[in-house]
Coordinates of all heavy atoms in Angstrom, one line a residue:
M1 N 0.8 -1.2 0.0 CA 0.0 0.0 0.0 C 0.9 1.3 0.0 O 1.9 1.3 0.7 CB -0.9 0.0 1.2 CG -1.9 1.1 1.2 SD -2.9 1.3 2.7 CE -3.9 -0.2 2.7
V2 N 0.5 2.2 -0.8 CA 1.1 3.5 -0.8 C 1.0 4.2 0.6 O -0.1 4.2 1.2 CB 0.6 4.4 -1.9 CG1 1.2 5.8 -1.9 CG2 0.7 3.8 -3.3
Q3 N 2.0 4.8 1.1 CA 2.0 5.3 2.5 C 1.7 6.8 2.5 O 1.4 7.4 3.5 CB 3.3 5.1 3.2 CG 3.7 3.7 3.3 CD 2.7 2.9 4.2 OE1 2.3 3.4 5.2 NE2 2.4 1.7 3.8
E4 N 1.9 7.5 1.4 CA 1.7 8.9 1.3 C 0.8 9.3 0.2 O 0.9 8.8 -0.9 CB 3.1 9.6 1.2 CG 3.0 11.0 1.6 CD 4.5 11.6 1.6 OE1 5.4 10.9 1.7 OE2 4.6 12.8 1.5
L5 N -0.1 10.2 0.4 CA -1.1 10.6 -0.6 C -0.4 11.7 -1.5 O 0.4 12.5 -1.1 CB -2.3 11.2 0.0 CG -3.2 10.3 0.8 CD1 -4.4 11.1 1.3 CD2 -3.6 9.1 0.0
N6 N -0.8 11.6 -2.8 CA -0.3 12.5 -3.8 C -1.6 13.4 -4.1 O -2.6 12.9 -4.6 CB 0.2 11.8 -5.0 CG 0.5 12.7 -6.1 OD1 0.9 13.8 -6.0 ND2 0.2 12.2 -7.4
V7 N -1.5 14.7 -3.8 CA -2.7 15.5 -3.9 C -2.6 16.2 -5.3 O -1.6 17.0 -5.5 CB -2.8 16.5 -2.8 CG1 -4.0 17.4 -3.0 CG2 -2.9 15.8 -1.5
L8 N -3.6 16.0 -6.1 CA -3.7 16.7 -7.4 C -4.5 18.0 -7.3 O -5.5 18.0 -6.6 CB -4.3 15.8 -8.5 CG -3.6 14.6 -9.1 CD1 -4.5 14.0 -10.2 CD2 -2.3 15.0 -9.6
S9 N -4.0 19.0 -8.0 CA -4.8 20.2 -7.9 C -5.6 20.4 -9.2 O -6.5 21.2 -9.3 CB -3.9 21.5 -7.8 OG -2.9 21.4 -8.8
E10 N -5.4 19.5 -10.1 CA -6.2 19.5 -11.3 C -6.6 18.1 -11.6 O -5.9 17.1 -11.3 CB -5.2 19.9 -12.5 CG -5.8 20.8 -13.5 CD -4.8 21.2 -14.5 OE1 -3.6 21.4 -14.2 OE2 -5.1 21.2 -15.7
W11 N -7.8 17.9 -12.2 CA -8.3 16.6 -12.5 C -7.6 16.0 -13.7 O -7.9 16.5 -14.8 CB -9.8 16.6 -12.7 CG -10.4 15.3 -13.1 CD1 -10.9 15.0 -14.3 CD2 -10.4 14.1 -12.3 NE1 -11.3 13.6 -14.3 CE2 -11.1 13.1 -13.1 CE3 -10.0 13.8 -11.0 CZ2 -11.3 11.8 -12.6 CZ3 -10.2 12.5 -10.5 CH2 -10.9 11.5 -11.3
I12 N -6.7 15.1 -13.5 CA -6.0 14.5 -14.6 C -6.2 12.9 -14.4 O -5.4 12.3 -13.6 CB -4.5 14.8 -14.6 CG1 -4.4 16.4 -14.6 CG2 -3.8 14.2 -15.9 CD1 -3.0 16.8 -14.3
P13 N -7.2 12.4 -15.1 CA -7.5 10.9 -14.8 C -6.3 10.0 -14.9 O -6.1 9.1 -14.1 CB -8.6 10.6 -15.9 CG -9.2 11.9 -16.2 CD -8.1 12.9 -16.1
E14 N -5.4 10.3 -15.9 CA -4.3 9.4 -16.1 C -3.3 9.4 -14.9 O -2.5 8.5 -14.8 CB -3.5 9.8 -17.3 CG -4.3 9.8 -18.6 CD -5.1 11.1 -18.8 OE1 -4.5 12.2 -18.7 OE2 -6.3 11.0 -18.9
Q15 N -3.4 10.5 -14.1 CA -2.5 10.6 -13.0 C -3.1 10.1 -11.7 O -2.5 10.2 -10.6 CB -2.0 12.0 -12.8 CG -1.1 12.4 -13.9 CD -0.4 13.7 -13.7 OE1 -0.4 14.3 -12.5 NE2 0.2 14.3 -14.7
M16 N -4.3 9.5 -11.7 CA -5.0 9.0 -10.5 C -4.4 7.6 -10.2 O -5.1 6.6 -10.1 CB -6.5 9.0 -10.7 CG -7.1 10.3 -10.8 SD -6.9 11.4 -9.3 CE -7.9 10.6 -8.1
Q17 N -3.1 7.6 -9.9 CA -2.5 6.3 -9.5 C -2.9 6.0 -8.0 O -3.4 6.9 -7.4 CB -1.0 6.4 -9.6 CG -0.5 6.5 -11.0 CD 0.7 7.4 -11.2 OE1 1.1 8.0 -10.2 NE2 1.1 7.6 -12.4
P18 N -2.6 4.8 -7.6 CA -3.0 4.5 -6.2 C -2.5 5.6 -5.2 O -1.3 6.0 -5.3 CB -2.3 3.2 -5.9 CG -2.3 2.5 -7.3 CD -2.1 3.7 -8.3
G19 N -3.3 6.0 -4.3 CA -2.9 7.0 -3.3 C -3.0 8.4 -3.8 O -2.4 9.3 -3.1
T20 N -3.8 8.7 -4.8 CA -3.9 10.1 -5.3 C -5.3 10.6 -4.9 O -6.3 10.0 -5.0 CB -3.8 10.1 -6.8 OG1 -2.6 9.5 -7.3 CG2 -3.9 11.6 -7.3
L21 N -5.2 11.9 -4.4 CA -6.4 12.5 -3.9 C -6.6 13.8 -4.7 O -5.7 14.5 -5.0 CB -6.2 12.9 -2.4 CG -7.4 13.6 -1.7 CD1 -7.8 12.8 -0.5 CD2 -7.1 15.0 -1.3
F22 N -7.9 14.0 -5.1 CA -8.3 15.2 -5.8 C -9.5 15.8 -5.1 O -10.5 15.2 -5.0 CB -8.6 14.8 -7.3 CG -9.2 16.0 -8.0 CD1 -8.3 17.0 -8.4 CD2 -10.5 16.1 -8.3 CE1 -8.9 18.1 -9.1 CE2 -11.0 17.1 -9.0 CZ -10.2 18.2 -9.4
V23 N -9.4 17.0 -4.7 CA -10.5 17.7 -4.0 C -11.5 18.2 -5.1 O -11.0 18.8 -6.0 CB -10.0 18.9 -3.1 CG1 -11.2 19.6 -2.6 CG2 -9.1 18.4 -2.0
L24 N -12.7 17.8 -4.9 CA -13.7 18.2 -5.9 C -13.9 19.7 -6.0 O -13.8 20.4 -5.0 CB -15.1 17.6 -5.4 CG -15.2 16.1 -5.3 CD1 -16.4 15.7 -4.5 CD2 -15.2 15.4 -6.7
E25 N -14.2 20.1 -7.3 CA -14.4 21.5 -7.5 C -15.6 22.0 -6.8 O -15.8 23.1 -6.3 CB -14.5 21.8 -9.0 CG -13.1 21.9 -9.5 CD -13.1 21.9 -11.1 OE1 -14.1 22.3 -11.7 OE2 -12.1 21.3 -11.6
N26 N -16.6 21.1 -6.7 CA -17.9 21.4 -6.0 C -17.9 20.7 -4.6 O -19.0 20.3 -4.2 CB -19.1 21.0 -6.8 CG -19.1 19.6 -7.2 OD1 -18.1 18.9 -7.0 ND2 -20.2 19.1 -7.7
A27 N -16.8 20.6 -3.9 CA -16.7 20.0 -2.6 C -17.7 20.6 -1.7 O -17.9 21.8 -1.6 CB -15.3 20.2 -2.0
G28 N -18.5 19.7 -1.0 CA -19.5 20.1 -0.1 C -20.9 20.3 -0.7 O -21.8 20.4 0.1
D29 N -21.0 20.2 -2.0 CA -22.3 20.3 -2.6 C -23.1 19.0 -2.7 O -24.3 19.1 -2.9 CB -22.2 20.9 -4.1 CG -21.7 22.3 -4.0 OD1 -21.6 22.9 -2.9 OD2 -21.5 22.9 -5.1
M30 N -22.4 17.9 -2.6 CA -23.1 16.6 -2.8 C -23.1 15.8 -1.5 O -22.2 15.9 -0.7 CB -22.4 15.8 -3.9 CG -22.6 16.3 -5.3 SD -21.8 15.1 -6.4 CE -20.1 15.2 -5.9
G31 N -24.1 14.9 -1.4 CA -24.1 14.0 -0.3 C -24.7 14.5 0.9 O -25.6 15.4 0.9
D32 N -24.3 14.0 2.0 CA -24.9 14.4 3.3 C -24.5 15.8 3.7 O -23.4 16.3 3.5 CB -24.3 13.4 4.4 CG -25.1 13.5 5.7 OD1 -24.8 14.4 6.4 OD2 -25.9 12.6 5.9
E33 N -25.5 16.5 4.2 CA -25.3 17.9 4.6 C -24.2 18.0 5.7 O -23.4 18.9 5.7 CB -26.6 18.5 5.1 CG -26.8 20.0 4.7 CD -28.2 20.5 5.0 OE1 -29.1 20.0 4.3 OE2 -28.3 21.2 6.0
E34 N -24.3 17.1 6.6 CA -23.4 17.1 7.7 C -22.0 16.7 7.3 O -21.0 17.1 7.9 CB -23.8 16.1 8.8 CG -25.2 16.4 9.4 CD -25.1 17.4 10.6 OE1 -24.4 17.0 11.5 OE2 -25.6 18.5 10.5
D35 N -21.9 15.8 6.4 CA -20.6 15.2 6.0 C -20.6 15.0 4.5 O -20.7 13.9 4.0 CB -20.4 13.9 6.7 CG -19.0 13.4 6.5 OD1 -18.1 14.2 6.2 OD2 -18.7 12.2 6.8
P36 N -20.5 16.1 3.7 CA -20.7 16.0 2.3 C -19.4 15.3 1.6 O -18.4 15.3 2.2 CB -20.8 17.4 1.8 CG -20.1 18.2 2.9 CD -20.3 17.5 4.2
Y37 N -19.7 14.9 0.4 CA -18.5 14.4 -0.4 C -17.6 15.5 -0.7 O -17.9 16.7 -0.9 CB -19.0 13.9 -1.8 CG -19.8 12.6 -1.6 CD1 -21.1 12.5 -2.0 CD2 -19.2 11.5 -1.0 CE1 -21.8 11.3 -1.8 CE2 -19.8 10.3 -0.8 CZ -21.2 10.2 -1.2 OH -21.9 9.0 -1.1
W38 N -16.3 15.2 -0.6 CA -15.3 16.2 -0.6 C -14.2 16.0 -1.6 O -13.6 16.9 -2.2 CB -14.6 16.3 0.8 CG -14.1 17.7 1.1 CD1 -12.8 18.1 1.0 CD2 -14.8 18.8 1.4 NE1 -12.7 19.4 1.3 CE2 -13.9 19.9 1.6 CE3 -16.2 19.1 1.7 CZ2 -14.3 21.2 1.9 CZ3 -16.6 20.4 2.0 CH2 -15.7 21.4 2.1
A39 N -13.9 14.8 -1.9 CA -12.7 14.5 -2.8 C -12.9 13.1 -3.4 O -13.7 12.3 -3.0 CB -11.4 14.5 -2.0
V40 N -12.1 12.9 -4.5 CA -11.9 11.6 -5.1 C -10.6 11.1 -4.7 O -9.6 11.7 -4.7 CB -12.0 11.7 -6.6 CG1 -11.9 10.3 -7.2 CG2 -13.3 12.3 -7.1
L41 N -10.6 9.8 -4.2 CA -9.4 9.2 -3.8 C -9.2 7.9 -4.5 O -10.1 7.1 -4.7 CB -9.4 8.9 -2.3 CG -8.2 8.2 -1.7 CD1 -7.0 9.0 -1.7 CD2 -8.5 7.7 -0.3
S42 N -8.0 7.6 -5.1 CA -7.8 6.3 -5.6 C -7.1 5.5 -4.5 O -6.2 5.9 -3.8 CB -6.9 6.4 -6.8 OG -5.5 6.7 -6.5
C43 N -7.7 4.3 -4.2 CA -7.3 3.5 -3.1 C -5.8 3.3 -3.1 O -5.2 2.9 -4.2 CB -8.0 2.2 -3.2 SG -7.4 1.0 -2.0
P44 N -5.1 3.5 -2.0 CA -3.6 3.4 -2.0 C -3.2 1.9 -2.2 O -2.0 1.7 -2.4 CB -3.2 3.9 -0.6 CG -4.5 4.1 0.2 CD -5.6 4.1 -0.8
E45 N -4.1 1.0 -2.0 CA -3.8 -0.4 -2.2 C -4.0 -0.9 -3.6 O -3.2 -1.4 -4.3 CB -4.7 -1.2 -1.2 CG -4.5 -2.7 -1.3 CD -3.2 -3.2 -0.6 OE1 -2.7 -2.5 0.3 OE2 -2.6 -4.2 -1.1
C46 N -5.2 -0.6 -4.2 CA -5.6 -1.1 -5.5 C -5.9 -0.1 -6.5 O -6.0 -0.5 -7.7 CB -6.8 -2.1 -5.3 SG -8.3 -1.2 -5.0
G47 N -6.0 1.2 -6.2 CA -6.2 2.2 -7.2 C -7.7 2.4 -7.6 O -7.9 3.2 -8.5
T48 N -8.6 1.7 -7.0 CA -10.0 1.9 -7.3 C -10.4 3.3 -6.8 O -10.1 3.8 -5.7 CB -10.9 0.9 -6.5 OG1 -10.5 -0.4 -7.0 CG2 -12.4 1.2 -6.7
L49 N -11.1 4.0 -7.7 CA -11.5 5.4 -7.4 C -12.8 5.4 -6.6 O -13.7 4.6 -6.8 CB -11.8 6.2 -8.7 CG -10.6 6.5 -9.6 CD1 -11.0 7.3 -10.8 CD2 -9.5 7.2 -8.8
G50 N -12.8 6.3 -5.6 CA -14.0 6.4 -4.8 C -14.2 7.8 -4.3 O -13.2 8.5 -4.1
L51 N -15.4 8.2 -4.0 CA -15.7 9.5 -3.4 C -15.5 9.4 -1.9 O -15.9 8.4 -1.3 CB -17.1 9.9 -3.7 CG -17.4 10.5 -5.0 CD1 -18.9 10.7 -5.2 CD2 -16.7 11.9 -5.2
I52 N -14.8 10.3 -1.3 CA -14.7 10.3 0.2 C -15.3 11.6 0.7 O -15.4 12.6 0.0 CB -13.3 10.1 0.6 CG1 -12.3 11.2 0.1 CG2 -12.8 8.7 0.2 CD1 -10.9 11.1 0.7
T53 N -15.7 11.6 1.9 CA -16.4 12.7 2.6 C -15.4 13.6 3.3 O -14.2 13.3 3.5 CB -17.5 12.2 3.6 OG1 -16.8 11.6 4.7 CG2 -18.4 11.2 2.9
R54 N -15.9 14.7 3.7 CA -15.1 15.7 4.4 C -14.5 15.1 5.7 O -13.3 15.3 6.0 CB -15.9 16.9 4.8 CG -15.1 18.0 5.5 CD -15.9 19.3 5.5 NE -17.1 19.2 6.2 CZ -18.1 20.1 6.1 NH1 -18.0 21.2 5.4 NH2 -19.2 19.9 6.7
R55 N -15.3 14.3 6.4 CA -14.7 13.7 7.7 C -13.7 12.6 7.4 O -12.8 12.4 8.2 CB -15.9 13.0 8.5 CG -16.7 14.1 9.2 CD -17.8 13.5 10.0 NE -18.7 14.5 10.4 CZ -20.0 14.3 10.8 NH1 -20.4 13.1 11.0 NH2 -20.7 15.3 11.2
Q56 N -13.8 12.0 6.2 CA -12.7 11.1 5.8 C -11.4 11.8 5.4 O -10.3 11.4 5.7 CB -13.2 10.2 4.7 CG -14.2 9.2 5.2 CD -14.8 8.4 4.1 OE1 -15.2 8.9 3.0 NE2 -14.9 7.1 4.2
V57 N -11.6 13.0 4.7 CA -10.4 13.7 4.3 C -9.6 14.2 5.6 O -8.4 14.3 5.5 CB -10.9 14.9 3.4 CG1 -9.7 15.9 3.2 CG2 -11.4 14.5 2.1
V58 N -10.4 14.6 6.6 CA -9.7 15.1 7.8 C -9.3 14.0 8.8 O -8.8 14.3 9.8 CB -10.5 16.3 8.5 CG1 -10.7 17.4 7.5 CG2 -11.8 15.8 9.0
G59 N -9.6 12.8 8.5 CA -9.1 11.7 9.3 C -10.0 11.3 10.5 O -9.6 10.6 11.3
L60 N -11.3 11.8 10.5 CA -12.2 11.5 11.6 C -12.9 10.1 11.3 O -13.2 9.4 12.3 CB -13.3 12.5 11.7 CG -12.8 13.9 12.3 CD1 -13.9 14.9 12.2 CD2 -12.3 13.7 13.7
V61 N -13.0 9.8 10.1 CA -13.7 8.6 9.7 C -12.8 7.8 8.8 O -12.1 8.3 7.9 CB -15.1 8.9 9.0 CG1 -15.7 7.6 8.4 CG2 -16.0 9.7 9.9
A62 N -12.7 6.5 9.0 CA -11.9 5.6 8.2 C -12.4 5.5 6.8 O -13.6 5.6 6.5 CB -11.8 4.2 8.8
V63 N -11.5 5.4 5.8 CA -11.8 5.2 4.4 C -11.8 3.7 4.2 O -10.8 3.0 4.6 CB -10.8 5.9 3.5 CG1 -11.2 5.6 2.0 CG2 -10.7 7.4 3.8
I64 N -12.8 3.2 3.6 CA -12.9 1.7 3.3 C -13.0 1.6 1.8 O -13.9 2.2 1.2 CB -14.1 1.1 4.0 CG1 -13.9 1.2 5.5 CG2 -14.2 -0.4 3.6 CD1 -15.1 0.8 6.3
C65 N -12.1 0.9 1.2 CA -12.1 0.7 -0.3 C -13.4 0.1 -0.7 O -13.9 -0.8 -0.1 CB -10.9 -0.1 -0.7 SG -10.8 -0.4 -2.5
G66 N -13.9 0.6 -1.9 CA -15.2 0.1 -2.4 C -15.0 -1.1 -3.3 O -16.0 -1.7 -3.7
S67 N -13.8 -1.5 -3.6 CA -13.6 -2.7 -4.4 C -13.9 -4.0 -3.7 O -13.6 -4.2 -2.5 CB -12.2 -2.7 -4.9 OG -11.9 -4.0 -5.5
D68 N -14.5 -5.0 -4.4 CA -14.8 -6.3 -3.8 C -13.6 -7.0 -3.5 O -13.5 -7.9 -2.7 CB -15.7 -7.1 -4.7 CG -17.1 -6.5 -4.9 OD1 -17.5 -5.7 -4.0 OD2 -17.8 -6.8 -5.9
K69 N -12.5 -6.7 -4.3 CA -11.3 -7.5 -4.3 C -10.3 -7.0 -3.3 O -9.1 -7.4 -3.3 CB -10.7 -7.6 -5.7 CG -11.6 -8.3 -6.7 CD -10.9 -8.5 -8.0 CE -11.9 -9.2 -9.0 NZ -12.9 -8.3 -9.4
C70 N -10.6 -5.9 -2.6 CA -9.6 -5.2 -1.8 C -10.3 -4.9 -0.5 O -11.4 -4.5 -0.4 CB -9.2 -3.9 -2.5 SG -8.2 -2.8 -1.6
S71 N -9.6 -5.1 0.6 CA -10.2 -4.9 1.9 C -9.5 -3.7 2.6 O -9.4 -3.7 3.9 CB -10.1 -6.2 2.7 OG -8.8 -6.6 2.8
A72 N -8.9 -2.8 1.9 CA -8.1 -1.7 2.5 C -9.0 -0.9 3.4 O -10.1 -0.5 3.0 CB -7.4 -0.9 1.4
Q73 N -8.5 -0.6 4.6 CA -9.2 0.3 5.5 C -8.1 1.2 6.1 O -7.1 0.7 6.6 CB -9.9 -0.4 6.7 CG -11.0 -1.3 6.2 CD -11.8 -1.8 7.4 OE1 -11.8 -1.2 8.5 NE2 -12.5 -2.9 7.2
F74 N -8.3 2.5 6.1 CA -7.2 3.4 6.5 C -7.8 4.7 6.9 O -8.9 5.1 6.5 CB -6.1 3.5 5.4 CG -6.7 3.9 4.1 CD1 -6.8 5.3 3.8 CD2 -7.2 3.0 3.2 CE1 -7.3 5.7 2.6 CE2 -7.7 3.4 2.0 CZ -7.8 4.7 1.7
F75 N -6.9 5.5 7.6 CA -7.3 6.8 7.9 C -6.3 7.7 7.2 O -5.2 7.4 6.9 CB -7.1 7.1 9.4 CG -8.1 6.5 10.3 CD1 -7.9 5.2 10.9 CD2 -9.3 7.1 10.5 CE1 -8.9 4.6 11.7 CE2 -10.3 6.5 11.3 CZ -10.1 5.3 11.9
I76 N -6.8 8.9 6.8 CA -5.9 9.9 6.2 C -5.5 10.9 7.3 O -6.3 11.4 8.1 CB -6.7 10.8 5.2 CG1 -7.1 9.8 4.0 CG2 -5.8 11.9 4.6 CD1 -8.1 10.5 3.0
R77 N -4.1 11.0 7.5 CA -3.6 11.9 8.5 C -2.7 12.9 7.7 O -1.6 12.5 7.2 CB -2.7 11.2 9.5 CG -3.4 10.2 10.4 CD -3.9 10.9 11.7 NE -4.5 9.9 12.6 CZ -5.8 9.7 12.6 NH1 -6.6 10.3 11.8 NH2 -6.3 8.8 13.4
E78 N -3.2 14.1 7.6 CA -2.5 15.1 6.7 C -2.4 14.5 5.3 O -3.4 14.2 4.7 CB -1.2 15.5 7.3 CG -1.2 16.0 8.7 CD -1.7 17.4 8.8 OE1 -1.4 18.2 7.9 OE2 -2.4 17.7 9.8
S79 N -1.2 14.2 4.9 CA -1.1 13.5 3.6 C -0.6 12.1 3.7 O -0.1 11.5 2.8 CB -0.3 14.3 2.6 OG 1.0 14.4 3.2
D80 N -0.6 11.6 5.0 CA -0.2 10.2 5.2 C -1.4 9.2 5.2 O -2.5 9.6 5.6 CB 0.6 10.1 6.5 CG 1.9 10.8 6.4 OD1 2.4 11.0 5.3 OD2 2.4 11.1 7.5
V81 N -1.1 8.0 4.8 CA -2.1 6.9 4.9 C -1.7 6.1 6.1 O -0.7 5.5 6.2 CB -2.0 6.0 3.6 CG1 -2.9 4.8 3.8 CG2 -2.4 6.9 2.4
V82 N -2.7 6.0 7.0 CA -2.5 5.2 8.3 C -3.4 4.0 8.2 O -4.7 4.2 8.3 CB -2.7 6.0 9.5 CG1 -2.5 5.2 10.8 CG2 -1.8 7.3 9.5
V83 N -2.9 2.8 8.1 CA -3.7 1.6 8.0 C -4.5 1.4 9.3 O -3.9 1.6 10.4 CB -2.8 0.4 7.8 CG1 -3.6 -0.9 7.8 CG2 -2.1 0.5 6.4
R84 N -5.8 1.1 9.1 CA -6.6 0.9 10.3 C -6.4 -0.5 10.8 O -6.4 -1.5 10.1 CB -8.1 1.1 9.9 CG -9.1 0.9 11.0 CD -10.4 0.9 10.4 NE -11.4 1.1 11.4 CZ -12.7 1.0 11.2 NH1 -13.2 0.7 10.0 NH2 -13.6 1.1 12.2
K85 N -6.1 -0.6 12.1 CA -5.9 -1.9 12.7 C -7.3 -2.5 12.9 O -8.1 -1.9 13.6 CB -5.2 -1.7 14.1 CG -3.8 -1.1 13.9 CD -2.8 -2.1 13.6 CE -1.4 -1.5 13.6 NZ -1.2 -0.6 12.5
V86 N -7.5 -3.6 12.3 CA -8.8 -4.3 12.5 C -8.6 -5.4 13.6 O -7.8 -6.3 13.5 CB -9.3 -5.0 11.2 CG1 -10.6 -5.7 11.4 CG2 -9.3 -4.0 10.1
S87 N -9.3 -5.2 14.7 CA -9.1 -6.1 15.8 C -10.1 -7.3 15.8 O -11.2 -7.1 15.2 CB -9.2 -5.4 17.1 OG -10.4 -4.7 17.2
Ligands
ZN101 ZN1 -8.6 -0.9 -2.7

């Protein structure tokens, strides 16, 4: 798994390698009012793209990969990926 996120300031699909984060241009407009969608993240393990919420971006809520073939769970700490310990 990639340990550090690469933050893109421009949406360049070809550069969405594993562990790349792109903050949505309309961040906060979609999803839950309390915890709206905020960014697109490619899973640091498998590269599957998924929308993550504001609480996930700031590390309050764990990110869980949406792929059936990947069980990555992790927190975002600044630009680091911290694997969630599953007990
Ligand atoms: Zn994954």
Side-chain angles (χ1 to χ4, degrees):
M1 187 185 294
V2 176
Q3 300 295 321
E4 200 174 335
L5 295 180
N6 172 33
V7 179
L8 283 187
S9 53
E10 218 180 321
W11 175 249
I12 307 167
E14 302 79 58
Q15 290 192 13
M16 290 300 288
Q17 292 144 359
T20 304
L21 182 122
F22 173 74
V23 175
L24 298 165
E25 278 164 34
N26 58 348
D29 288 357
M30 284 186 301
D32 194 282
E33 214 171 291
E34 298 274 302
D35 189 19
Y37 290 119
W38 207 258
V40 179
L41 176 69
S42 74
C43 173
E45 179 75 31
C46 70
T48 297
L49 294 181
L51 280 170
I52 58 172
T53 68
R54 185 164 58 194
R55 284 179 192 167
Q56 289 174 314
V57 171
V58 299
L60 289 173
V61 174
V63 180
I64 299 171
C65 180
S67 166
D68 293 341
K69 299 185 179 71
C70 171
S71 55
Q73 295 190 25
F74 54 91
F75 288 96
I76 297 171
R77 293 269 186 267
E78 305 284 326
S79 61
D80 291 338
V81 174
V82 180
V83 176
R84 183 187 192 189
K85 301 275 186 289
V86 181
S87 52

